[in-house]
Amino acid sequence: MKILGTKYEIVRKKREDDPKLVENDGYCDPTSKIIVIVDGYTPDINNVSDLSVYDNNVLRHEIIHAFLHESGLRNYSADETLVDWLAVQFPKMLAAFENAECAR
Ligand SMILES: [Zn+2]
């Protein structure tokens, strides 16, 4: 996929195959232009019963990191609260934009 004109690869890996996934469900590496998402969640107290919703949220989170990085906004990209808020709220924001006919 392209993020602001830069090609990023999205890869799903088993947690045991990537040390960076030991404590994270995904990560964005802006140096190698790769987004890695854990393949095969084990539900726990930190996630939800609907794993597809959780999985999409994790992917949105990492894509937002990439957008901020490619925008030169590295300080914002380092703000996990901001990035997670955008990832969680974006579908609701998109629905509001579409409802107001200003999504494009
Ligand atoms: Zn993050």
Side-chain angles (χ1 to χ4, degrees), residues 26-101:
Y27 63 89
C28 173
D29 183 343
T31 60
S32 59
K33 312 300 181 192
I34 189 169
I35 290 171
V36 180
I37 303 296
V38 72
D39 183 18
Y41 292 106
T42 302
D44 63 31
I45 196 167
N46 294 319
N47 51 39
V48 294
S49 58
D50 189 337
L51 293 179
S52 66
V53 171
Y54 183 74
D55 187 66
N56 285 347
N57 188 66
V58 172
L59 184 52
R60 281 195 304 274
H61 179 108
E62 302 309 334
I63 289 171
I64 290 166
H65 273 300
F67 263 92
L68 291 169
H69 185 85
E70 294 302 326
S71 299
L73 298 171
R74 293 181 184 159
N75 286 345
Y76 289 139
S77 183
D79 185 340
E80 291 296 332
T81 301
L82 171 67
V83 172
D84 212 45
W85 183 87
L86 284 166
V88 170
Q89 300 303 333
F90 190 87
K92 298 168 205 163
M93 294 168 71
L94 180 58
F97 297 156
E98 288 172 341
N99 190 43
E101 298 182 356

